[in-house]
Amino acid sequence: MGGATCETCLRLRWFLMTAAPLIVGIYLQPGWAVPLAQLVPSPMAIGIAIWVGGAAIFALRLAAHRRSAEG
């Protein structure tokens, strides 16, 4: 025990430390979430951003892979 923590576990910890208080706050004070919800983009905008971001990351990684395979 006491070994190094993996990078994925560290990311999950940060996500949970951020998400858990927000979820609890929305549950305990629902009126607080209404103004916050108006600031969130539409589901379509979020979906397009995820698609574009994923495609860009894929293209960059593919280009890096092709460069490393050539040299």
Side-chain angles (χ1 to χ4, degrees):
M1 307 239 178
T5 305
C6 71
E7 188 175 335
T8 302
C9 294
L10 291 174
R11 285 184 188 157
L12 283 172
R13 285 180 187 174
W14 278 106
F15 173 78
L16 291 174
M17 285 190 312
T18 304
L22 288 174
I23 292 170
V24 170
I26 289 170
Y27 176 73
L28 295 176
Q29 298 178 355
W32 168 79
V34 173
L36 185 64
Q38 294 172 352
L39 301 174
V40 176
S42 71
M44 178 63 89
I46 293 171
I48 290 172
I50 290 171
W51 182 82
V52 169
I57 291 170
F58 174 78
L60 290 172
R61 288 187 176 183
L62 180 63
H65 173 70
R66 287 187 176 175
R67 270 188 263 123
S68 67
E70 291 174 1

